[in-house]
């Protein structure tokens, strides 16, 4: 995005990074208080080019319908679905916010960024089938997962995902689940839409090719933000009451420069991704689903194999992966020195602890990096038996930086997910981590606003605004299940995605 405006001397909020997180935070805050003076800064020449870009993520509306790593099996054989409930609750809040924007004519056509695509879990082998059966039984006790189907029937699965069933024997021990409510989301389009709303409706500038080099405290409790115009090389300084660092993999290096105690001990472990992208339109059109399998032992959760329908640039696409890679960069457009520069005295114990206790992960990454095209195709053939090498090309996806944090017992732990690090007074906030970040951005930002504006979020005015934008921002679904079902139905209608089945809807 371009702008003819100049950066002013003072802002209420400066957002570092032109991705879905900054876009969501800035838009929510403007909708609550239009007088907030906000500045968005992005180091690249356009917004949404890193993690938010369409090809840099799977586009899954992460609702825990299909992601098996959200439902772990306990030692006694029971299934823990607490994380699945949390993630689904968070994604429902995103849908409610997007519906609010459409209802208020801020977004015209939901088909620009969201499509109905059924979500499936799929497993092979007797033990995995039994696990999946127990998973469904436990999940469907909760109102969010009503309507989830389980099947071991060959013919039924052939109807669900015919491309995957071609060439299989009816004697194979396989099973799958299906949720019609699943969605495919183009977060790149959504991010650009948010920034367009901010610029055109709320006079909020987005400066690209501007890199934040440092953030320092000032005498009057504001923050001095030091900026470099990468095009002119000009150095710019401005003050802000609040600073949000939402720069994806670039968040940690900047956070480490900020003078707050809360940053101590944090490190980052970069993992890159690659997709196999189908180039054969006939094959692409035979699959309309997101199908998630189980990750290999030692693989990070973000590496769950899945065969995904996508909608990018107005076309249906098909991808498989992700295949993990290793790069010392923290951003796709970053530096090979990023990892080494991030190692500080305060996080050396954390970094070493993570390395020592994650040898299987290191081994897994080495194996992934060594894979050739035929090796990747063999992995794909576990999903599509007759996949042809010439129908698939390799595409490098986004760079993710997993959180490393202190742990008294192990020195450090590797966290998969997202975490908000904030100063005691909430004036500095930073988002670290990766998936399911984009899907749950709305819930993350509601929580972040409570850190950053503790007094204002207690006010009746702000709470009423939250309720207008996200009706279930502070409600428990299980205690309000009928209201939740009604709102979910309304959101499905507004977003033009699949409605719950009749037997799940209220009379």
């Amino acid at each position: 995005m371009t702008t003819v405006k100049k950066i002013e001397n003072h802002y209420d909020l400066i957002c570092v990074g032109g991705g879905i997180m900054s876009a969501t935070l800035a838009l929510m805050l403007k909708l609550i208080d239009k007088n907030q003076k906000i500045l968005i800064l992005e180091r690249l020449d356009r917004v949404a080019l890193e993690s938010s870009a369409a090809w840099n993520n799977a586009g899954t509306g992460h609702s825990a319908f299909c992601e098996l790593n959200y439902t772990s099996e306990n030692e006694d054989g029971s299934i823990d679905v607490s994380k699945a409930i949390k993630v689904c609750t968070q994604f429902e809040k995103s849908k409610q916010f997007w519906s609010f924007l459409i209802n208020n004519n801020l977004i015209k056509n939901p088909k620009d960024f969201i499509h109905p695509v059924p979500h499936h879990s799929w497993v092979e082998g007797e033990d995995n089938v039994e696990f999946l059966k127990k998973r469904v039984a436990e999940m469907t006790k909760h109102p969010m997962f009503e309507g989830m189907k389980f099947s071991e029937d060959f013919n039924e699965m052939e109807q669900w995902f015919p491309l995957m069933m071609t060439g299989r024997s009816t004697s194979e021990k396989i099973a799958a689940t299906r949720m019609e409510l699943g969605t495919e989301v183009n977060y790149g389009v959504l991010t650009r839409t948010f920034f367009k709303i901010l610029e055109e409706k709320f006079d909020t500038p987005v400066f690209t090719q501007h890199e934040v080099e440092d953030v320092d405290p000032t005498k009057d409790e504001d923050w001095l933000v030091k900026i470099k115009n990468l095009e002119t090389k000009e150095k710019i300084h401005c003050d802000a009451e609040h600073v949000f660092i939402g720069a994806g993999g670039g968040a940690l290096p900047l956070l480490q420069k900020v003078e707050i105690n809360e940053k101590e001990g944090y490190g980052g472990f970069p993992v890159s991704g690659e997709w196999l992208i189908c180039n054969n339109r006939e094959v692409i059109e035979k699959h309309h689903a997101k199908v998630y399998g189980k990750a290999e032992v030692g693989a990070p959760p973000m590496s769950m194999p899945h065969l995904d329908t996508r909608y990018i640039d107005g076309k249906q696409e098909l991808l498989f992966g992700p295949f993990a890679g290793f790069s010392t960069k923290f951003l796709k457009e970053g530096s090979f020195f990023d990892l080494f520069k991030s190692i500080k005295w305060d996080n050396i114990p954390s970094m070493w602890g993570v390395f020592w206790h994650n040898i299987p992960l290191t081994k897994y990454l080495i194996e992934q990096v060594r894979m050739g095209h035929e090796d990747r195709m063999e992995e794909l053939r576990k999903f599509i038996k007759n996949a042809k090498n010439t129908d698939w090309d390799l595409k490098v996806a986004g760079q993710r930086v997993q959180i490393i944090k202190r742990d008294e017992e192990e020195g450090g732990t590797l966290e998969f997910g997202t975490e908000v690090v904030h100063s005691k007074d909430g004036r500095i906030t930073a988002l670290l981590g990766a998936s399911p970040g984009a899907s749950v951005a709305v819930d993350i930002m509601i929580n972040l606003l409570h850190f950053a504006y503790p007094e204002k979020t207690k006010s009746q005015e702000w709470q009423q605004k939250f309720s207008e934008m996200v009706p279930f921002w502070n409600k428990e679904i299980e205690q309000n299940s009928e209201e939740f079902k009604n709102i979910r139905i309304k959101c499905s209608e507004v977003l033009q995605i699949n409605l719950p089945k009749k037997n799940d809807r209220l009379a």
Side-chain angles (χ1 to χ4, degrees), residues 243-374:
V243 176
F244 169 63
I245 304 172
L252 177 64
L254 182 56
L255 176 64
Q256 290 179 326
K257 296 179 181 180
V258 181
E259 296 174 27
I260 58 172
N261 295 330
E262 290 79 7
K263 70 179 183 182
E264 302 296 324
Y266 278 94
F269 184 82
V271 179
S272 62
E274 296 172 326
W275 301 113
L276 283 176
I277 307 294
C278 187
N279 58 45
N280 186 325
R281 300 311 305 179
E282 288 185 16
V283 175
I284 292 169
E285 289 166 11
K286 289 178 182 176
H287 186 81
H288 185 259
K290 289 182 180 290
V291 184
Y292 275 59
K294 288 193 77 173
E296 294 180 19
V297 176
M302 63 176 288
S303 296
M304 286 181 298
H306 44 98
L307 184 67
D308 276 19
T309 293
R310 296 295 321 270
Y311 288 92
I312 300 175
D313 298 330
K315 290 195 304 182
Q316 183 176 331
E317 304 287 0
L318 183 62
L319 59 80
F320 175 77
F323 297 95
F326 178 74
S327 169
T328 53
K329 291 182 178 183
F330 277 5
L331 290 163
K332 199 172 179 181
E333 299 294 330
S335 164
F336 286 109
F337 295 104
D338 286 343
L339 174 60
F340 307 109
K341 287 180 179 178
S342 76
I343 300 173
K344 311 291 182 184
W345 283 111
D346 66 86
N347 68 13
I348 286 177
S350 307
M351 302 283 280
W352 175 250
V354 163
F355 170 75
W356 185 252
H357 292 284
N358 286 273
I359 299 298
L361 173 59
T362 305
K363 180 175 178 288
Y364 169 81
L365 288 174
I366 292 171
E367 290 173 351
Q368 288 275 296
V369 170
R370 292 174 61 185
M371 291 179 84
H373 188 63
E374 184 58 38

Side-chain angles (χ1 to χ4, degrees), residues 3-106:
T3 178
V4 295
K5 294 185 177 182
K6 289 187 177 180
I7 293 177
E8 298 181 21
N9 293 327
H10 181 81
Y11 291 90
D12 296 311
L13 169 67
I14 292 179
C15 294
V16 184
I20 188 65
M21 294 299 175
S22 290
T24 302
L25 174 61
L27 185 53
M28 292 189 83
L29 189 54
K30 273 291 189 179
L31 288 164
I32 294 169
D33 181 359
K34 66 181 180 181
N35 295 318
Q36 287 282 319
K37 195 174 177 182
I38 302 174
L39 171 67
I40 316 290
L41 298 167
E42 166 57 47
R43 62 189 285 270
L44 299 179
D45 61 358
R46 285 174 291 154
V47 297
L49 288 182
E50 283 283 351
S51 296
S52 300
W55 284 117
N56 288 349
N57 57 69
T60 303
H62 284 296
S63 44
F65 295 156
C66 57
E67 305 92 330
L68 294 171
N69 63 308
Y70 294 158
T71 50
S72 56
E73 188 169 11
N74 298 318
E75 288 185 8
D76 63 0
S78 62
I79 307 297
D80 182 358
V81 299
S82 57
K83 185 173 182 180
I85 291 170
K86 179 183 177 182
V87 171
C88 192
T89 301
Q90 290 175 308
F91 185 64
E92 289 294 330
K93 293 175 186 178
S94 290
K95 291 197 300 184
Q96 290 169 23
F97 181 61
W98 301 338
S99 298
F100 169 83
L101 296 175
I102 294 166
N103 285 332
N104 285 272
N105 296 314
L106 292 170

Side-chain angles (χ1 to χ4, degrees), residues 431-460:
L431 187 74
L432 305 179
S435 181
S439 295
V440 301
V442 170
D443 184 61
I444 290 172
M445 291 308 146
I446 290 173
N447 291 327
L448 188 146
L449 286 168
H450 281 75
F451 297 139
Y453 302 87
E455 294 305 318
K456 288 185 177 181
T457 51
K458 293 175 186 175
S459 71
Q460 185 176 352

Side-chain angles (χ1 to χ4, degrees), residues 125-126 129-130 132-133 150-157 160 165 170 172-177:
E126 197 165 331
V129 169
E130 187 60 31
L132 193 61
K133 195 179 296 183
F150 171 85
S151 182
E152 296 179 72
D153 183 82
F154 187 95
N155 293 329
E156 188 167 31
M157 285 185 278
W160 290 354
M165 298 304 289
T170 54
E172 289 184 44
K173 191 67 177 176
I174 56 177
T177 60

